[in-house]
């Protein structure tokens, strides 16, 4: 068997910013899908509507938030946080005293992880809502 000698020219790949910008791809530009529309304040919104807007505008600080939207969302976060803390405290006392059943200990262990996740999941919408409320009070329109 004879070997065929094929001559290939080496393929030169350049990993430079200019090479990556071929076809109009620039890291500094935002595409239309990356730009979120400014939130319009919803005056007289109900509790369920405020909760939907609270999570729907996750990390969206553009636009404004009405007072009712702000206070309903804050009430929601406060009530759920207090209920979770109260349940954790009650179950924690039972577990510490040794009077808890295996089900209560299991639920306590699950809530031990749920409460920090609840807090972390609400930091983004909380910061965004405060920013949007300040924007509305100052008359800033993005």
């Amino acid at each position: 068997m004879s070997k065929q000698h094929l001559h290939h020219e080496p393929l030169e790949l350049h990993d430079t910013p200019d090479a990556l910008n071929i076809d109009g791809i620039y890291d500094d530009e935002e595409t239309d899908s990356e730009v979120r529309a400014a939130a319009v304040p919803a005056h007289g919104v109900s509790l369920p509507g405020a909760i939907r807007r609270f999570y729907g505008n996750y990390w969206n600080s553009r636009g404004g938030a009405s007072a009712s939207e702000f206070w309903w969302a804050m009430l929601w976060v406060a009530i759920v946080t207090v209920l979770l803390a109260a349940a954790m405290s009650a179950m924690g006392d039972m577990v510490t005293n040794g009077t808890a059943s295996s089900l209560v200990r299991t639920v306590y262990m699950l809530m031990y992880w749920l409460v920090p996740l609840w807090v972390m999941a609400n930091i983004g919408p909380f910061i965004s809502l405060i920013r949007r409320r300040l924007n509305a009070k100052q008359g800033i329109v993005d």
Side-chain angles (χ1 to χ4, degrees), residues 27-42:
D27 290 336
D28 298 337
E29 294 179 0
E30 291 182 344
T31 63
D32 290 337
S33 63
E34 292 175 339
V35 178
R36 294 187 69 182
V40 177

Side-chain angles (χ1 to χ4, degrees), residues 89-119:
S89 177
M91 284 189 278
D93 289 342
M94 290 178 9
V95 168
T96 303
N97 295 336
T99 59
S101 67
S102 61
L103 176 64
V104 171
R105 287 192 304 269
T106 303
V107 171
Y108 177 74
M109 184 176 61
L110 291 172
M111 288 190 66
Y112 185 81
W113 293 104
L114 177 67
V115 172
L117 288 175
W118 165 259
V119 171

Side-chain angles (χ1 to χ4, degrees), residues 30-103:
E30 291 182 344
T31 63
D32 290 337
S33 63
E34 292 175 339
V35 178
R36 294 187 69 182
V40 177
H43 299 283
V45 70
S46 64
L47 176 62
I51 294 170
R52 271 193 306 276
R53 291 179 58 84
F54 179 68
Y55 293 112
N57 285 304
Y58 202 91
W59 289 117
N60 184 11
S61 296
R62 298 181 64 216
S66 67
S68 59
E69 178 183 352
F70 178 82
W71 288 114
W72 278 124
M74 290 301 99
L75 183 64
W76 161 255
V77 171
I79 287 174
V80 173
T81 303
V82 166
L83 289 175
L84 286 173
M88 281 288 295
S89 177
M91 284 189 278
D93 289 342
M94 290 178 9
V95 168
T96 303
N97 295 336
T99 59
S101 67
S102 61
L103 176 64

